Amino acid sequence: MSGLSRIGVAIDSELLEKFDQLISKRGYTNRSEAFRDLIRDELVQKTWESPDAAVVGTVTLVYDHHVRMLSEKLTDLQHEFHRSILSTLHVHLDHDNCLEVLVVRGKAGVVEKIADALISTKGVKHGRLTITTSGAELK
Ligand code: NI
């Protein structure tokens, strides 16, 4: 179990003012929680640098389902990696476009490979991997 430590941070006044404006816009009511979130985000980013680290992420894809064989290719890829893909949300955005959000869990290297394979598939208009964590190792 870890205790609570108090630290003092010396920071340029103008920089602090900008930081306060930023966190106020984002809804933080105090600096401490904003600092903690910045640190957690850096730690999560760092985890992803180790290919064997256990991670969680989401892959967002936008594509036109009329593109020949595209839906089939994306489905084939998802079946290939079915052990790592926990859930898929599909939204028909309009007559042509589909949005898919996949929740992916596994080793960082595998999750990135899945995301790259899906996003680089010809016909995918936009794709993004969002990295996060199971939260187990963060306070
Ligand atoms: Ni659709």
Side-chain angles (χ1 to χ4, degrees):
M1 206 176 113
S2 64
L4 194 64
S5 298
R6 291 194 178 278
I7 57 165
V9 179
I11 188 165
D12 179 89
S13 303
E14 277 182 37
L15 187 60
L16 184 60
E17 199 175 309
K18 285 178 182 170
F19 183 70
D20 283 343
Q21 287 169 3
L22 178 76
I23 66 174
S24 167
K25 271 188 192 167
R26 291 189 179 171
Y28 287 100
T29 53
N30 66 70
R31 286 177 189 147
S32 292
E33 185 57 17
F35 274 121
R36 284 192 289 267
D37 277 357
L38 285 176
I39 292 167
R40 290 184 193 115
D41 192 47
E42 285 298 315
L43 291 171
V44 169
Q45 300 278 343
K46 188 77 190 161
T47 303
W48 281 72
E49 290 173 14
S50 314
D52 288 333
V55 297
V56 178
T58 58
V59 180
T60 304
L61 303 169
V62 173
Y63 62 93
D64 180 343
H65 78 276
H66 291 119
V67 172
R68 196 175 164 275
M69 296 300 289
L70 180 55
S71 299
E72 289 83 351
K73 282 179 197 162
L74 294 174
T75 302
D76 282 350
L77 274 169
Q78 292 184 44
H79 278 273
E80 192 180 324
F81 295 106
H82 67 92
R83 284 188 183 83
S84 306
I85 299 173
L86 304 180
S87 180
T88 304
L89 168 76
H90 185 111
V91 178
H92 310 302
L93 292 173
D94 57 28
H95 185 265
D96 305 314
N97 295 293
C98 301
L99 167 74
E100 277 189 12
V101 181
L102 290 71
V103 179
V104 189
R105 183 176 204 167
K107 290 182 176 179
V110 175
V111 169
E112 280 177 339
K113 187 178 156 193
I114 294 168
D116 287 344
L118 290 164
I119 292 167
S120 67
T121 299
K122 194 179 172 202
V124 172
K125 292 182 177 180
H126 185 252
R128 174 104 12 166
L129 167 64
T130 302
I131 61 175
T132 185
T133 170
S134 69
E137 287 164 25
L138 288 179
K139 293 283 178 191

